[in-house]
PDB file of all heavy atoms in Angstrom:
ATOM      1  N   GLY A 156     -10.081  -6.258   1.866  1.00 95.00           N
ATOM      2  CA  GLY A 156      -9.081  -5.175   1.692  1.00 95.00           C
ATOM      3  C   GLY A 156      -7.974  -5.699   0.806  1.00 95.00           C
ATOM      4  O   GLY A 156      -7.839  -6.924   0.581  1.00 95.00           O
ATOM      5  N   ILE A 157      -7.160  -4.810   0.302  1.00 97.00           N
ATOM      6  CA  ILE A 157      -6.132  -5.217  -0.623  1.00 97.00           C
ATOM      7  C   ILE A 157      -5.015  -5.996   0.040  1.00 97.00           C
ATOM      8  O   ILE A 157      -4.326  -6.818  -0.614  1.00 97.00           O
ATOM      9  CB  ILE A 157      -5.522  -4.023  -1.398  1.00 97.00           C
ATOM     10  CG1 ILE A 157      -4.855  -3.038  -0.446  1.00 97.00           C
ATOM     11  CG2 ILE A 157      -6.570  -3.374  -2.273  1.00 97.00           C
ATOM     12  CD1 ILE A 157      -3.930  -2.047  -1.120  1.00 97.00           C
ATOM     13  N   PHE A 158      -4.770  -5.812   1.354  1.00 98.00           N
ATOM     14  CA  PHE A 158      -3.612  -6.471   1.943  1.00 98.00           C
ATOM     15  C   PHE A 158      -3.772  -7.986   2.036  1.00 98.00           C
ATOM     16  O   PHE A 158      -2.777  -8.691   2.105  1.00 98.00           O
ATOM     17  CB  PHE A 158      -3.257  -5.886   3.334  1.00 98.00           C
ATOM     18  CG  PHE A 158      -1.812  -6.128   3.661  1.00 98.00           C
ATOM     19  CD1 PHE A 158      -0.826  -5.302   3.183  1.00 98.00           C
ATOM     20  CD2 PHE A 158      -1.423  -7.247   4.412  1.00 98.00           C
ATOM     21  CE1 PHE A 158       0.514  -5.559   3.442  1.00 98.00           C
ATOM     22  CE2 PHE A 158      -0.073  -7.492   4.694  1.00 98.00           C
ATOM     23  CZ  PHE A 158       0.904  -6.660   4.185  1.00 98.00           C
ATOM     24  N   ALA A 159      -5.022  -8.480   1.963  1.00 96.00           N
ATOM     25  CA  ALA A 159      -5.235  -9.926   1.970  1.00 96.00           C
ATOM     26  C   ALA A 159      -4.455 -10.614   0.837  1.00 96.00           C
ATOM     27  O   ALA A 159      -4.016 -11.747   0.969  1.00 96.00           O
ATOM     28  CB  ALA A 159      -6.724 -10.241   1.877  1.00 96.00           C
ATOM     29  N   ALA A 160      -4.261  -9.893  -0.284  1.00 97.00           N
ATOM     30  CA  ALA A 160      -3.594 -10.455  -1.454  1.00 97.00           C
ATOM     31  C   ALA A 160      -2.096 -10.100  -1.506  1.00 97.00           C
ATOM     32  O   ALA A 160      -1.358 -10.684  -2.295  1.00 97.00           O
ATOM     33  CB  ALA A 160      -4.258  -9.969  -2.733  1.00 97.00           C
ATOM     34  N   VAL A 161      -1.653  -9.172  -0.682  1.00 98.00           N
ATOM     35  CA  VAL A 161      -0.253  -8.688  -0.789  1.00 98.00           C
ATOM     36  C   VAL A 161       0.768  -9.790  -0.434  1.00 98.00           C
ATOM     37  O   VAL A 161       1.716  -9.978  -1.173  1.00 98.00           O
ATOM     38  CB  VAL A 161      -0.054  -7.408   0.070  1.00 98.00           C
ATOM     39  CG1 VAL A 161       1.454  -7.070   0.223  1.00 98.00           C
ATOM     40  CG2 VAL A 161      -0.790  -6.240  -0.562  1.00 98.00           C
ATOM     41  N   PRO A 162       0.612 -10.518   0.679  1.00 98.00           N
ATOM     42  CA  PRO A 162       1.633 -11.518   1.000  1.00 98.00           C
ATOM     43  C   PRO A 162       1.869 -12.568  -0.127  1.00 98.00           C
ATOM     44  O   PRO A 162       3.021 -12.875  -0.452  1.00 98.00           O
ATOM     45  CB  PRO A 162       1.104 -12.190   2.281  1.00 98.00           C
ATOM     46  CG  PRO A 162       0.345 -11.082   2.926  1.00 98.00           C
ATOM     47  CD  PRO A 162      -0.348 -10.388   1.779  1.00 98.00           C
ATOM     48  N   TYR A 163       0.774 -13.048  -0.739  1.00 97.00           N
ATOM     49  CA  TYR A 163       0.944 -14.026  -1.805  1.00 97.00           C
ATOM     50  C   TYR A 163       1.579 -13.390  -3.041  1.00 97.00           C
ATOM     51  O   TYR A 163       2.414 -13.996  -3.713  1.00 97.00           O
ATOM     52  CB  TYR A 163      -0.427 -14.670  -2.155  1.00 97.00           C
ATOM     53  CG  TYR A 163      -0.331 -15.787  -3.151  1.00 97.00           C
ATOM     54  CD1 TYR A 163       0.585 -16.828  -2.977  1.00 97.00           C
ATOM     55  CD2 TYR A 163      -1.167 -15.815  -4.265  1.00 97.00           C
ATOM     56  CE1 TYR A 163       0.673 -17.869  -3.905  1.00 97.00           C
ATOM     57  CE2 TYR A 163      -1.098 -16.859  -5.176  1.00 97.00           C
ATOM     58  CZ  TYR A 163      -0.189 -17.878  -4.990  1.00 97.00           C
ATOM     59  OH  TYR A 163      -0.098 -18.902  -5.913  1.00 97.00           O
ATOM     60  N   CYS A 164       1.235 -12.151  -3.338  1.00 98.00           N
ATOM     61  CA  CYS A 164       1.868 -11.444  -4.448  1.00 98.00           C
ATOM     62  C   CYS A 164       3.361 -11.324  -4.195  1.00 98.00           C
ATOM     63  O   CYS A 164       4.165 -11.590  -5.119  1.00 98.00           O
ATOM     64  CB  CYS A 164       1.222 -10.054  -4.626  1.00 98.00           C
ATOM     65  SG  CYS A 164       1.907  -9.130  -6.041  1.00 98.00           S
ATOM     66  N   ILE A 165       3.734 -10.962  -2.991  1.00 98.00           N
ATOM     67  CA  ILE A 165       5.168 -10.853  -2.626  1.00 98.00           C
ATOM     68  C   ILE A 165       5.837 -12.223  -2.776  1.00 98.00           C
ATOM     69  O   ILE A 165       6.974 -12.316  -3.275  1.00 98.00           O
ATOM     70  CB  ILE A 165       5.353 -10.275  -1.193  1.00 98.00           C
ATOM     71  CG1 ILE A 165       4.712  -8.903  -1.064  1.00 98.00           C
ATOM     72  CG2 ILE A 165       6.817 -10.286  -0.777  1.00 98.00           C
ATOM     73  CD1 ILE A 165       5.457  -7.741  -1.636  1.00 98.00           C
ATOM     74  N   ASP A 166       5.156 -13.300  -2.365  1.00 97.00           N
ATOM     75  CA  ASP A 166       5.702 -14.671  -2.574  1.00 97.00           C
ATOM     76  C   ASP A 166       6.014 -14.884  -4.052  1.00 97.00           C
ATOM     77  O   ASP A 166       7.081 -15.374  -4.435  1.00 97.00           O
ATOM     78  CB  ASP A 166       4.673 -15.764  -2.199  1.00 97.00           C
ATOM     79  CG  ASP A 166       4.319 -15.857  -0.740  1.00 97.00           C
ATOM     80  OD1 ASP A 166       4.996 -15.229   0.093  1.00 97.00           O
ATOM     81  OD2 ASP A 166       3.376 -16.596  -0.409  1.00 97.00           O
ATOM     82  N   LEU A 167       5.034 -14.565  -4.898  1.00 97.00           N
ATOM     83  CA  LEU A 167       5.126 -14.855  -6.328  1.00 97.00           C
ATOM     84  C   LEU A 167       6.237 -14.061  -7.044  1.00 97.00           C
ATOM     85  O   LEU A 167       6.761 -14.525  -8.060  1.00 97.00           O
ATOM     86  CB  LEU A 167       3.791 -14.571  -7.037  1.00 97.00           C
ATOM     87  CG  LEU A 167       2.647 -15.532  -6.665  1.00 97.00           C
ATOM     88  CD1 LEU A 167       1.346 -15.026  -7.212  1.00 97.00           C
ATOM     89  CD2 LEU A 167       2.939 -16.945  -7.125  1.00 97.00           C
ATOM     90  N   ILE A 168       6.590 -12.891  -6.499  1.00 97.00           N
ATOM     91  CA  ILE A 168       7.648 -12.101  -7.146  1.00 97.00           C
ATOM     92  C   ILE A 168       8.995 -12.241  -6.431  1.00 97.00           C
ATOM     93  O   ILE A 168       9.949 -11.534  -6.721  1.00 97.00           O
ATOM     94  CB  ILE A 168       7.240 -10.612  -7.278  1.00 97.00           C
ATOM     95  CG1 ILE A 168       6.957  -9.948  -5.942  1.00 97.00           C
ATOM     96  CG2 ILE A 168       6.047 -10.458  -8.232  1.00 97.00           C
ATOM     97  CD1 ILE A 168       6.642  -8.441  -6.029  1.00 97.00           C
ATOM     98  N   GLY A 169       9.068 -13.219  -5.488  1.00 96.00           N
ATOM     99  CA  GLY A 169      10.362 -13.586  -4.918  1.00 96.00           C
ATOM    100  C   GLY A 169      10.726 -12.927  -3.601  1.00 96.00           C
ATOM    101  O   GLY A 169      11.873 -12.972  -3.202  1.00 96.00           O
ATOM    102  N   GLY A 170       9.750 -12.367  -2.898  1.00 97.00           N
ATOM    103  CA  GLY A 170      10.012 -11.720  -1.601  1.00 97.00           C
ATOM    104  C   GLY A 170       9.865 -12.661  -0.438  1.00 97.00           C
ATOM    105  O   GLY A 170       9.583 -13.868  -0.622  1.00 97.00           O
ATOM    106  N   PRO A 171       9.993 -12.163   0.784  1.00 97.00           N
ATOM    107  CA  PRO A 171       9.872 -12.987   1.976  1.00 97.00           C
ATOM    108  C   PRO A 171       8.435 -13.438   2.241  1.00 97.00           C
ATOM    109  O   PRO A 171       7.480 -12.776   1.790  1.00 97.00           O
ATOM    110  CB  PRO A 171      10.377 -12.064   3.097  1.00 97.00           C
ATOM    111  CG  PRO A 171      10.172 -10.691   2.578  1.00 97.00           C
ATOM    112  CD  PRO A 171      10.309 -10.757   1.094  1.00 97.00           C
ATOM    113  N   TYR A 172       8.286 -14.508   2.984  1.00 97.00           N
ATOM    114  CA  TYR A 172       6.984 -15.039   3.382  1.00 97.00           C
ATOM    115  C   TYR A 172       6.431 -14.160   4.498  1.00 97.00           C
ATOM    116  O   TYR A 172       7.060 -13.995   5.550  1.00 97.00           O
ATOM    117  CB  TYR A 172       7.134 -16.490   3.860  1.00 97.00           C
ATOM    118  CG  TYR A 172       5.818 -17.239   4.019  1.00 97.00           C
ATOM    119  CD1 TYR A 172       5.210 -17.834   2.942  1.00 97.00           C
ATOM    120  CD2 TYR A 172       5.211 -17.332   5.276  1.00 97.00           C
ATOM    121  CE1 TYR A 172       4.024 -18.563   3.083  1.00 97.00           C
ATOM    122  CE2 TYR A 172       4.013 -18.018   5.412  1.00 97.00           C
ATOM    123  CZ  TYR A 172       3.435 -18.646   4.329  1.00 97.00           C
ATOM    124  OH  TYR A 172       2.262 -19.313   4.469  1.00 97.00           O
ATOM    125  N   ILE A 173       5.289 -13.553   4.288  1.00 97.00           N
ATOM    126  CA  ILE A 173       4.702 -12.604   5.215  1.00 97.00           C
ATOM    127  C   ILE A 173       3.526 -13.237   5.956  1.00 97.00           C
ATOM    128  O   ILE A 173       2.630 -13.805   5.314  1.00 97.00           O
ATOM    129  CB  ILE A 173       4.180 -11.345   4.480  1.00 97.00           C
ATOM    130  CG1 ILE A 173       5.302 -10.670   3.655  1.00 97.00           C
ATOM    131  CG2 ILE A 173       3.569 -10.332   5.461  1.00 97.00           C
ATOM    132  CD1 ILE A 173       4.813  -9.640   2.660  1.00 97.00           C
ATOM    133  N   GLU A 174       3.529 -13.130   7.262  1.00 96.00           N
ATOM    134  CA  GLU A 174       2.400 -13.628   8.049  1.00 96.00           C
ATOM    135  C   GLU A 174       1.717 -12.457   8.764  1.00 96.00           C
ATOM    136  O   GLU A 174       2.390 -11.468   9.123  1.00 96.00           O
ATOM    137  CB  GLU A 174       2.872 -14.692   9.036  1.00 96.00           C
ATOM    138  CG  GLU A 174       3.382 -15.930   8.307  1.00 96.00           C
ATOM    139  CD  GLU A 174       3.727 -17.038   9.241  1.00 96.00           C
ATOM    140  OE1 GLU A 174       2.837 -17.847   9.547  1.00 96.00           O
ATOM    141  OE2 GLU A 174       4.913 -17.115   9.654  1.00 96.00           O
ATOM    142  N   THR A 175       0.406 -12.560   8.913  1.00 97.00           N
ATOM    143  CA  THR A 175      -0.375 -11.465   9.474  1.00 97.00           C
ATOM    144  C   THR A 175      -1.113 -11.904  10.733  1.00 97.00           C
ATOM    145  O   THR A 175      -1.326 -13.100  10.953  1.00 97.00           O
ATOM    146  CB  THR A 175      -1.416 -10.962   8.462  1.00 97.00           C
ATOM    147  OG1 THR A 175      -2.292 -12.033   8.149  1.00 97.00           O
ATOM    148  CG2 THR A 175      -0.769 -10.447   7.185  1.00 97.00           C
ATOM    149  N   ASP A 176      -1.560 -10.945  11.512  1.00 96.00           N
ATOM    150  CA  ASP A 176      -2.468 -11.181  12.628  1.00 96.00           C
ATOM    151  C   ASP A 176      -3.861 -11.236  11.994  1.00 96.00           C
ATOM    152  O   ASP A 176      -4.368 -10.220  11.519  1.00 96.00           O
ATOM    153  CB  ASP A 176      -2.377 -10.039  13.646  1.00 96.00           C
ATOM    154  CG  ASP A 176      -3.326 -10.238  14.831  1.00 96.00           C
ATOM    155  OD1 ASP A 176      -4.273 -11.038  14.716  1.00 96.00           O
ATOM    156  OD2 ASP A 176      -3.086  -9.568  15.848  1.00 96.00           O
ATOM    157  N   GLU A 177      -4.464 -12.422  12.013  1.00 92.00           N
ATOM    158  CA  GLU A 177      -5.744 -12.611  11.333  1.00 92.00           C
ATOM    159  C   GLU A 177      -6.872 -11.783  11.955  1.00 92.00           C
ATOM    160  O   GLU A 177      -7.896 -11.572  11.319  1.00 92.00           O
ATOM    161  CB  GLU A 177      -6.111 -14.072  11.272  1.00 92.00           C
ATOM    162  CG  GLU A 177      -5.148 -14.846  10.379  1.00 92.00           C
ATOM    163  CD  GLU A 177      -5.500 -16.321  10.189  1.00 92.00           C
ATOM    164  OE1 GLU A 177      -6.587 -16.738  10.667  1.00 92.00           O
ATOM    165  OE2 GLU A 177      -4.691 -17.008   9.554  1.00 92.00           O
ATOM    166  N   ALA A 178      -6.698 -11.288  13.171  1.00 91.00           N
ATOM    167  CA  ALA A 178      -7.706 -10.394  13.769  1.00 91.00           C
ATOM    168  C   ALA A 178      -7.737  -9.061  13.068  1.00 91.00           C
ATOM    169  O   ALA A 178      -8.743  -8.357  13.072  1.00 91.00           O
ATOM    170  CB  ALA A 178      -7.417 -10.214  15.257  1.00 91.00           C
ATOM    171  N   VAL A 179      -6.615  -8.683  12.428  1.00 93.00           N
ATOM    172  CA  VAL A 179      -6.528  -7.430  11.689  1.00 93.00           C
ATOM    173  C   VAL A 179      -6.814  -7.687  10.215  1.00 93.00           C
ATOM    174  O   VAL A 179      -7.711  -7.077   9.622  1.00 93.00           O
ATOM    175  CB  VAL A 179      -5.124  -6.765  11.844  1.00 93.00           C
ATOM    176  CG1 VAL A 179      -5.032  -5.475  11.055  1.00 93.00           C
ATOM    177  CG2 VAL A 179      -4.842  -6.501  13.324  1.00 93.00           C
ATOM    178  N   VAL A 180      -6.048  -8.571   9.594  1.00 94.00           N
ATOM    179  CA  VAL A 180      -6.259  -8.933   8.173  1.00 94.00           C
ATOM    180  C   VAL A 180      -5.709 -10.330   7.958  1.00 94.00           C
ATOM    181  O   VAL A 180      -4.605 -10.655   8.388  1.00 94.00           O
ATOM    182  CB  VAL A 180      -5.602  -7.889   7.245  1.00 94.00           C
ATOM    183  CG1 VAL A 180      -4.118  -7.856   7.368  1.00 94.00           C
ATOM    184  CG2 VAL A 180      -6.011  -8.149   5.789  1.00 94.00           C
ATOM    185  N   LYS A 181      -6.485 -11.154   7.301  1.00 93.00           N
ATOM    186  CA  LYS A 181      -6.057 -12.528   6.994  1.00 93.00           C
ATOM    187  C   LYS A 181      -5.442 -12.569   5.608  1.00 93.00           C
ATOM    188  O   LYS A 181      -6.088 -12.240   4.628  1.00 93.00           O
ATOM    189  CB  LYS A 181      -7.287 -13.456   7.081  1.00 93.00           C
ATOM    190  CG  LYS A 181      -6.953 -14.936   6.831  1.00 93.00           C
ATOM    191  CD  LYS A 181      -8.207 -15.769   6.968  1.00 93.00           C
ATOM    192  CE  LYS A 181      -8.085 -17.249   6.789  1.00 93.00           C
ATOM    193  NZ  LYS A 181      -6.873 -17.877   6.488  1.00 93.00           N
ATOM    194  N   ALA A 182      -4.177 -13.010   5.582  1.00 95.00           N
ATOM    195  CA  ALA A 182      -3.484 -13.174   4.296  1.00 95.00           C
ATOM    196  C   ALA A 182      -4.081 -14.380   3.593  1.00 95.00           C
ATOM    197  O   ALA A 182      -4.193 -15.446   4.192  1.00 95.00           O
ATOM    198  CB  ALA A 182      -2.010 -13.353   4.509  1.00 95.00           C
ATOM    199  N   PHE A 183      -4.445 -14.223   2.330  1.00 94.00           N
ATOM    200  CA  PHE A 183      -4.998 -15.349   1.576  1.00 94.00           C
ATOM    201  C   PHE A 183      -3.914 -15.924   0.660  1.00 94.00           C
ATOM    202  O   PHE A 183      -3.269 -15.187  -0.081  1.00 94.00           O
ATOM    203  CB  PHE A 183      -6.189 -14.925   0.727  1.00 94.00           C
ATOM    204  CG  PHE A 183      -6.747 -16.081  -0.053  1.00 94.00           C
ATOM    205  CD1 PHE A 183      -7.646 -16.973   0.517  1.00 94.00           C
ATOM    206  CD2 PHE A 183      -6.311 -16.351  -1.360  1.00 94.00           C
ATOM    207  CE1 PHE A 183      -8.109 -18.080  -0.172  1.00 94.00           C
ATOM    208  CE2 PHE A 183      -6.777 -17.445  -2.056  1.00 94.00           C
ATOM    209  CZ  PHE A 183      -7.679 -18.318  -1.489  1.00 94.00           C
ATOM    210  N   ARG A 184      -3.741 -17.260   0.753  1.00 94.00           N
ATOM    211  CA  ARG A 184      -2.866 -17.994  -0.159  1.00 94.00           C
ATOM    212  C   ARG A 184      -3.562 -19.270  -0.524  1.00 94.00           C
ATOM    213  O   ARG A 184      -4.249 -19.863   0.306  1.00 94.00           O
ATOM    214  CB  ARG A 184      -1.543 -18.342   0.530  1.00 94.00           C
ATOM    215  CG  ARG A 184      -0.599 -17.213   0.758  1.00 94.00           C
ATOM    216  CD  ARG A 184       0.668 -17.778   1.463  1.00 94.00           C
ATOM    217  NE  ARG A 184       1.699 -16.734   1.583  1.00 94.00           N
ATOM    218  CZ  ARG A 184       1.830 -15.955   2.650  1.00 94.00           C
ATOM    219  NH1 ARG A 184       0.996 -16.032   3.662  1.00 94.00           N
ATOM    220  NH2 ARG A 184       2.821 -15.067   2.683  1.00 94.00           N
ATOM    221  N   PRO A 185      -3.341 -19.786  -1.725  1.00 92.00           N
ATOM    222  CA  PRO A 185      -3.831 -21.130  -2.046  1.00 92.00           C
ATOM    223  C   PRO A 185      -3.174 -22.131  -1.050  1.00 92.00           C
ATOM    224  O   PRO A 185      -2.054 -21.877  -0.584  1.00 92.00           O
ATOM    225  CB  PRO A 185      -3.352 -21.404  -3.455  1.00 92.00           C
ATOM    226  CG  PRO A 185      -2.878 -20.112  -3.998  1.00 92.00           C
ATOM    227  CD  PRO A 185      -2.617 -19.203  -2.861  1.00 92.00           C
TER     228      PRO A 185
END
Side-chain angles (χ1 to χ4, degrees):
I157 62 164
F158 203 83
V161 168
Y163 186 49
C164 183
I165 301 282
D166 293 350
L167 292 171
I168 60 176
Y172 192 85
I173 304 167
E174 295 185 88
T175 62
D176 180 342
E177 293 184 6
V179 179
V180 64
K181 182 178 181 359
F183 179 85
R184 288 180 173 92

